[in-house]
Amino acid sequence: MGIKGFVEGGIASVIAGCSTHPLDLIKVRMQLQGETQASNLRPALAFHRGPIHAPPHQRAKLGPIAVGVKLVQQEGAAALFSGVSATVLRQLLYSTIRMGLYDIFKKKWSDPANVNGSLPLTRKIAAGLIAGGIGAAVGNPADVAMVRMQADGRLPPAQRRNYKSVIDAITRMGKDEGVTSLWRGSSLTVNRAMLVTASQLASYDQFKEIILEKGIMRDGLGTHVTASFLAGFVAAVASNPIDVIKTRVMNMKVEPGAAAPYSGALDCALKTVRAEGPMALYKGFIPTISRQGPFTVVLFVTLEQVRKLLKDF
């Protein structure tokens, strides 16, 4: 208990985050499809005499493969790792803290009378909610930077932020938009992280215990992969709606003297549903589960291996 849980969780999280970063980027691009940016329009457009183009939310939506292909064609293969430095920092802050705290809570709250030391599902969920919330609050600046860096390539060249790295992104946001901009959408980040951590970590432990108790498989790679994939699916279903809103709020561009596209999370949710329908909250679900599944598998398989390596420390 203690530092060891943070180290194990941090190593596993960074490896999982970097290996699934392209899928996360595609998910972000899909979540921004159809988003209207009324605040970016200029009065001069009222006198535009050229052909009128359909607004973004009326254009055909691209699937994950098409989004990935288009991204590579327009921005190059290296664009699949846009914002990866922010992903690393986010995992070092957010995931390291949530994994370490969850491990501490799980050990402190376990029933001494239970020979296996397992924790009731309700306590696992409570541990995940608390650990995820704290981790997200600390890691929010990196989360904002990651979303912006991943979304930058979809903007016209003149409107791109062109952050050089996550440090450059955080520094410029603090200087140009104020320190509070680093915690833009933090309520969404915290809520999402609480849902993801509770559903992901608690369900992994629960699925793993069930598999072992029922004798379906022995404790090994097969059990770890099965339990982690099921946990990834649960986490994706629970978090996708709030993830869409979080992405849009964090990515919005506020022009000086102009009203922000969204006044907050609820406003963003209402505008999204009114303009694009309720299922817009599940935009990017395929890449979300495509990313959440492999991410969770890599995370827990790596975590189990790291635990074995550090067992004697």
Side-chain angles (χ1 to χ4, degrees):
M1 184 163 44
I3 298 298
K4 187 178 177 183
F6 289 90
V7 173
E8 293 171 346
I11 294 173
S13 298
V14 169
I15 292 174
C18 291
S19 62
T20 59
H21 183 82
L23 295 173
D24 194 49
L25 186 147
I26 291 173
K27 176 203 71 176
V28 168
R29 294 293 180 91
M30 288 187 70
Q31 289 174 339
L32 292 171
Q33 284 188 118
E35 182 181 32
T36 57
Q37 295 291 349
S39 62
N40 290 337
L41 298 178
R42 299 288 184 270
L45 290 177
F47 304 99
H48 180 66
R49 297 179 181 277
I52 299 175
H53 299 284
H57 65 281
Q58 293 181 3
R59 295 173 190 163
K61 307 299 187 297
L62 301 178
I65 296 177
V67 169
V69 171
K70 183 179 178 182
L71 189 152
V72 171
Q73 289 177 337
Q74 295 182 348
E75 303 170 46
L80 289 171
F81 285 90
S82 297
V84 71
S85 62
T87 291
V88 172
L89 181 60
R90 178 176 180 268
Q91 298 300 335
L92 287 173
L93 295 175
Y94 158 62
S95 288
T96 298
I97 291 173
R98 74 175 182 129
M99 298 287 284
L101 288 178
Y102 179 79
D103 187 58
I104 289 176
F105 292 144
K106 190 170 68 170
K107 290 175 180 176
K108 279 192 173 183
W109 295 350
S110 60
D111 187 355
N114 192 317
V115 179
N116 297 324
S118 60
L119 200 66
L121 180 59
T122 52
R123 292 189 184 182
K124 290 173 187 164
I125 293 173
L129 290 172
I130 297 171
I134 295 173
V138 175
N140 199 79
D143 212 351
V144 177
M146 183 181 71
V147 167
R148 289 190 173 195
M149 292 173 76
Q150 288 177 335
D152 210 36
R154 67 187 285 274
L155 298 172
Q159 296 180 23
R160 291 178 187 173
R161 298 177 175 102
N162 295 316
Y163 296 132
K164 297 176 183 177
S165 66
V166 63
I167 302 302
D168 179 50
I170 292 175
T171 301
R172 283 172 55 186
M173 276 188 284
K175 181 180 178 181
D176 300 339
E177 304 171 49
V179 176
T180 55
S181 68
L182 298 175
W183 274 269
R184 178 176 291 162
S186 59
S187 62
L188 289 164
T189 304
V190 170
N191 289 332
R192 176 189 179 277
M194 291 173 72
L195 284 174
V196 169
T197 305
S199 57
Q200 187 184 65
L201 302 190
S203 61
Y204 173 76
D205 283 342
Q206 194 69 20
F207 284 130
K208 180 181 174 183
E209 287 176 16
I210 292 173
I211 291 172
L212 295 177
E213 287 175 2
K214 299 291 184 182
I216 300 173
M217 285 185 280
R218 290 184 295 179
D219 191 4
L221 183 61
T223 296
H224 302 159
V225 171
T226 302
S228 57
F229 185 82
L230 291 172
F233 181 79
V234 173
V237 172
S239 66
N240 203 89
I242 199 167
D243 198 30
V244 171
I245 304 305
K246 176 183 76 73
T247 295
R248 293 188 173 196
V249 169
M250 286 183 169
N251 187 60
M252 69 177 177
K253 194 169 186 178
V254 182
E255 299 286 351
Y262 309 117
S263 61
L266 181 59
D267 182 53
C268 180
L270 291 174
K271 286 180 177 177
T272 298
V273 172
R274 286 171 184 166
E276 305 164 55
M279 289 310 296
L281 296 177
Y282 273 91
K283 276 189 174 181
F285 180 74
I286 297 302
T288 293
I289 187 59
S290 298
R291 183 258 181 189
Q292 194 70 260
F295 174 86
T296 310
V297 169
V298 174
L299 173 67
F300 287 114
V301 168
T302 304
L303 181 63
E304 297 283 3
Q305 296 305 311
V306 172
R307 281 174 175 168
K308 288 182 180 178
L309 291 173
L310 301 180
K311 186 177 181 180
D312 298 326
F313 287 89

